[in-house]
Amino acid sequence: MKRRLLCLFAAAVLCGMLGFPAAVPISAEEEIPSLFCNDEAWYKDGAAPMITREEIHYVPAELFGLFESVSVTSPSENNLLICNTVDDRYISLLFSEGRAAVNGTIVQDVRSFRDAGVTYVDAVQVAETVGITAETIVQEDGRVSMRLCDGNHLLTTEELLAAYLPEEPDDEFADLEEEEELNLKRIFILCREPSPGTEKSALDLLKQYEMGYTLFLTGDTSTESLLDAMAGGAYGILTSETGEEAVADLNAVNESFRKITRYKTHLTMTTGSYESDNRLINAAYCPVAPDFIVDTTVDAATMFADMLQYLGGHDYCVLQLEDCPQTEEMLKLMNKINREQFITSNLGD
């Protein structure tokens, strides 16, 4: 699916920037995300989808923070500020008072709420305030999805939705194939771009064994390495900073990558600090914490056995590989596992 979407991106580039209508109907038989941000599905759609109440569409407030021109901050516990950083249009939600300030004007009966730790706001009200386009996508059974856009999109809505449609008609074996795939145990592999002269490169070994992986890059990554990472299906970005500095650092790296790829990644490795990771989450990043790390201090055979035991009670695990001889031993062992039970993947699958 990821590769097909990339092909659609390439086609859209040739056509230039495209507009889209106010509402697009699609078949009720297809499952699509509840929210899109420009050309990407909302990456937390499974945990925090759009909610519709009394014909008002509510979206997670943090979704607006994905746009380059919009900031989402919490000046205080009961205050949420969503601001267009270009022209300073804003909406300041005061939860305890049930009202908001919109560009200096007080608005009563603010439509917002919190659910399972997620702050939801009226999508149309906030979008209109900060200059974002809100487009509804209506399905035949009445379900509604929404696409928010700041103009930096490449695909029409029809092209975007096409990425979520089956490439071939369903056949009599389709359900069986899907069931078999769901029974697979996934091993999500993480690695870093190797330093020059690295003797045992985890990245080179992963390519040699043809295993899926997510490559984490830094701000000094070359264009060639970045494009190579994208060809692998998914990449993340690294920071050595903590706190607010970590957010600023990731934003800066993302901006340089976005100019090359037109894509903004949200994956990063955990900083090891709950407070810093929470800041990253609030800034719409997804810190990844590995379940197992292969470095020079471990025995590959022992960790391999521990990983298989862990997968006995879990659907997936996250394995981080460092550039060392033990990584080669681990991949030799993993290459022998039953591919009908286990599959190595990148975080984009």
Side-chain angles (χ1 to χ4, degrees), residues 73-137:
T73 57
S74 298
S76 64
E77 182 179 358
N78 291 310
N79 177 221
L80 182 70
L81 177 63
I82 304 176
C83 177
N84 184 314
T85 58
V86 177
D87 57 20
D88 295 330
R89 285 178 289 174
Y90 73 91
I91 179 169
S92 179
L93 299 158
L94 306 173
F95 294 106
S96 60
E97 301 178 25
R99 58 179 182 154
V102 179
N103 298 325
T105 301
I106 300 300
V107 177
Q108 303 294 339
D109 299 323
V110 174
R111 297 183 291 270
S112 62
F113 61 90
R114 288 170 176 157
D115 181 71
V118 179
T119 300
Y120 281 87
V121 296
D122 182 338
V124 174
Q125 180 185 47
V126 174
E128 289 180 347
T129 300
V130 298
I132 300 296
T133 300
E135 172 199 14
T136 53
I137 302 170

Side-chain angles (χ1 to χ4, degrees), residues 201-221:
S201 163
L203 177 59
D204 290 342
L205 290 168
L206 285 165
K207 292 179 180 178
Q208 175 184 328
Y209 286 101
E210 298 182 343
M211 292 185 179
Y213 60 88
T214 299
L215 179 61
F216 281 82
L217 305 169
T218 59
D220 57 359
T221 295

